[in-house]
Amino acid sequence: MAIQRTTIRNPWRDLDTLTNRLTMAFDGPFVGPLANGAWQPAVSVQESPDELLLVAELPGLSEADIELEVENNVLTLRGEKSEVRTEEGEGHRVHIQERRHGRFSRRFTLPRSVSTEGISAEFEHGLLRVRMPKMAEARSRRIEIGVGAEVAPKARLESEAAGDEA
């Protein structure tokens, strides 16, 4: 009689494997350090009645390191973060290196309601704030609701005039 080995499946290991495969498949859009050592800045987008506000975290960069442009309703944020090296004496070793450097690029498709001519940006304390005003016709407005005769006096006058002609 042959001896058979049975392996006990660990569902958590299967879940970890699936998570790793999904992360590799969709590596591009995730923020933070990527598998190839590149990085992407974290971004938030907020909306108010008058504008959209994009805030990007760019620690360690200056205005000169950042490019911002709009073309065909696509806002592109790109730049480069330089590597910081410290020259220490002999026997110096780096045990953990989590600070990322290199070129980055993020693209955002803007809604048609944004006025691209009015876009402005400011950079302070490692945060880039991009203000994108909405067009006047895209802003919400309150519409008053009238009662019967108040709503369409012109239509009533036109129907009375048509009745006079008959």
Side-chain angles (χ1 to χ4, degrees):
M1 173 175 211
I3 298 176
Q4 280 188 316
R5 287 187 109 160
T6 56
T7 56
I8 299 172
R9 287 183 57 106
N10 182 345
W12 298 113
R13 181 177 294 149
D14 294 343
L15 184 60
D16 284 341
T17 302
L18 176 64
T19 303
N20 290 337
R21 287 182 182 169
L22 286 173
T23 301
M24 288 188 301
F26 298 106
D27 198 36
F30 291 118
V31 174
L34 302 175
N36 60 2
W39 71 286
Q40 299 224 356
V43 173
S44 67
V45 178
Q46 304 164 17
E47 183 175 5
S48 72
D50 297 329
E51 70 179 2
L52 292 176
L53 173 65
L54 180 141
V55 180
E57 292 181 3
L58 300 165
L61 276 76
S62 68
E63 297 89 8
D65 300 324
I66 304 166
E67 297 174 33
L68 191 63
E69 69 178 28
V70 175
E71 184 178 351
N72 296 329
N73 266 22
V74 175
L75 178 74
T76 303
L77 168 64
R78 68 173 67 96
E80 186 167 3
K81 187 174 183 182
S82 302
E83 182 180 14
V84 178
R85 288 192 173 255
T86 57
E87 294 297 325
E88 300 288 333
E90 190 174 317
H92 174 78
R93 294 183 299 195
V94 175
H95 291 284
I96 298 174
Q97 177 66 31
E98 293 180 347
R99 297 180 66 199
R100 301 295 179 193
H101 62 277
R103 294 199 53 76
F104 63 88
S105 180
R106 299 284 310 262
R107 296 170 53 103
F108 305 92
T109 301
L110 302 178
R112 283 182 254 160
S113 61
V114 170
S115 170
T116 57
E117 291 81 27
I119 294 176
S120 63
E122 60 186 42
F123 186 75
E124 185 178 20
H125 302 298
L127 293 177
L128 175 69
R129 288 183 176 82
V130 182
R131 298 190 179 280
M132 300 167 278
K134 293 181 180 178
M135 290 186 234
E137 54 271 6
R139 295 181 184 153
S140 65
R141 62 183 175 90
R142 185 174 176 91
I143 299 171
E144 294 296 324
I145 301 173
V147 179
E150 295 177 23
V151 174
K154 182 178 177 185
R156 190 181 65 222
L157 291 174
E158 288 174 356
S159 67
E160 289 173 0
D164 291 343
E165 291 176 6

